[in-house]
Amino acid sequence: MELFKEITYQSTRGGQAGITASQAILQGLAKDGGLFMPDRIPALDISMEKLGAMSYEETAYEVMKCFLTDYTEEELKDCIRKAYDSKFDTEEIAPLTKADGAYYLELFHGSTIAFKDMALSILPHLLTTAARKNQVDKEIVILTATSGDTGKAAMAGFADVPGTRIIVFYPKGGVSRIQELQMRTQKGENTAVVAIHGNFDDAQTGVKRIFGDQEFKEELAEKGFQFSSANSINIGRLVPQVVYYVYAYAKLLNNEEIAAGEAINVVVPTGNFGNILAAYFAKQMGVPIKKLICASNDNKVLYDFFTTGTYDRNREFILTTSPSMDILISSNLERLIYLSAGCDAARTRELMEQLGRTGSYTITSEMREKMQDFYGGFATQEENKTEIKRVFDDTGYLIDTHTGVASAVYRKYAEAARDETKAVIASTASPYKFSNSVMEAISGDTEGKEPFQLIDEMSALSGTAVPQAVEEIRHAKIRHSRECDVADMKGEVRDILGIPGLVAGRK
Ligand SMILES: *Cc1c(COP(=O)(O)O)cnc(C)c1O
């Protein structure tokens, strides 16, 4: 008989330990403000050769069962089946496209055409299963801050899921036209969308503050509500993201693009540090990955961090053509800090408190030493634009503005480091989601044109079909028009849930 070792979760700040996976998914953020981490990163217990012959769903089971040990086989397989179905427009779920010598791992074939779908199509099922397992009788209220893609993907996942409500905050003017339309046309009685007068960091900090408000939590509990998070801090987001790195490696091997055991580099366009952390987990599980190339846009906090050891958010927030990466506080970095501090929660807490107080912290050289697998790079908006055009002109393959950042960083890195290791580039969004900027890069003729005109031109120019997700919003009705100041986010939550409160200027 197989010996089964349960994995438990603890907070990166030391306040909670011995939590099951389902409890960690339900809670989202730990009570002390920390992030949940597994007590160890399990090794894959199946060979790459076997994985190479498996479907995405089968691979997902092999990977996720290692982390979510309190879910039964039936529960987990049921969640996977419901998530990775015809919502995706390709059976492969995450296909690889080779262009200009690199492998683009397309993570945008889900219902909202960005990589957030990879995890957010399964999170609602993991969460409702967790609620059942833990006898939760309250309505689960998902609060989410979004830089554009999480919000829509989370709503698409949670819309009309019984026992759940979802409230999304996005920065007004800080997302693409298509992203905004996608959110504001969202159906589902249990969905709410609020534009805040601030940037993504304001939205994320506001949501974290509401999570940390014990009094409000108790008041909500009396009314039958319980908060949870669909943001990438939830371990239920991170674990499904490990799957596609394992899948990509196994497929490269199966297709004889690489030899058994050959190490690859992975390049990830990064914002909140969730996607690249998943690649790091995949490496820890045994996937032969050499370098994890962390690509930033002009908001290059992470580049500075990896090159100097100092994280410093005290700088101007720049709105770029890759809005989903316009982030100065990369929440998931806390997990890497924790790991590289040798799982020292007190030390992690100290650094995070320093970040909250002063906006910066510096790690020790021993910690930096443990981050040698990571390489930080960045691409300016101009470099990004040039790269999108270059790849399109040379190969006919069209990439979006986030993938463009990763692609540009990869080319710069490969040349500077003279590293010819084969590379997988995480391709995080469909070019149709950022049609304006992508068309600006490849045709330059966008002045005064409406988004849908550009979308049709893009389709003609690239010879690719307009995705269903975009067709859907072409004529859809606007359903959400809420707006608020950052200071009023809590009041807005009250209003949406129908809980009266003593907020100045509100009914
Ligand atoms: C969210 C997002 C990113 C950044 O991913 P993180 O996990 O936050 O680092 C990159 N590209 C796109 C298109 C995204 O939606």
Side-chain angles (χ1 to χ4, degrees), residues 369-439:
E369 196 55 41
K370 292 200 186 141
M371 294 182 190
Q372 288 308 306
D373 290 342
F374 288 86
Y375 171 88
F378 76 98
T380 64
Q381 300 194 68
E382 209 44 49
E383 287 172 323
N384 185 8
K385 205 167 143 179
T386 308
E387 176 70 2
I388 292 169
K389 181 160 173 57
R390 192 191 63 79
V391 174
F392 183 64
D393 288 349
D394 290 359
T395 68
Y397 184 58
L398 193 56
I399 56 178
D400 94 295
T401 47
H402 301 76
T403 311
V405 169
S407 195
V409 166
Y410 163 63
R411 310 287 167 188
K412 287 202 283 185
Y413 162 81
E415 199 180 303
R418 295 170 192 271
D419 185 351
E420 288 174 5
T421 306
K422 286 171 190 148
V424 165
I425 299 176
S427 183
T428 52
S430 159
Y432 284 94
K433 200 157 189 178
F434 301 94
S435 46
N436 209 316
S437 305
V438 172
M439 283 301 282

Side-chain angles (χ1 to χ4, degrees), residues 114-116 149 269-275 324-325 327 400 402 428-429 434:
F115 101 94
K116 304 295 195 290
D149 289 331
T270 299
N272 230 349
F273 208 74
N275 199 0
S324 301
M325 298 159 68
I327 289 174
D400 94 295
H402 301 76
T428 52
F434 301 94

Side-chain angles (χ1 to χ4, degrees), residues 30 42 46 78 115-116 212 245 284 320 401 431 434 440 468 497:
I46 178 168
D78 185 50
F115 101 94
K116 304 295 195 290
Y245 291 108
Q284 306 296 312
T320 73
T401 47
F434 301 94
E440 188 56 45
Q468 182 58 28
L497 298 178

Side-chain angles (χ1 to χ4, degrees), residues 436-455:
N436 209 316
S437 305
V438 172
M439 283 301 282
E440 188 56 45
I442 60 170
S443 92
D445 180 18
T446 61
E447 194 72 23
K449 289 182 180 168
E450 285 299 310
F452 281 99
Q453 185 182 350
L454 290 172
I455 279 166

Side-chain angles (χ1 to χ4, degrees), residues 181-193:
L181 265 178
Q182 278 190 315
M183 288 192 275
R184 293 187 58 197
T185 56
Q186 177 64 46
K187 293 181 190 167
E189 287 305 314
N190 62 339
T191 64
V193 182

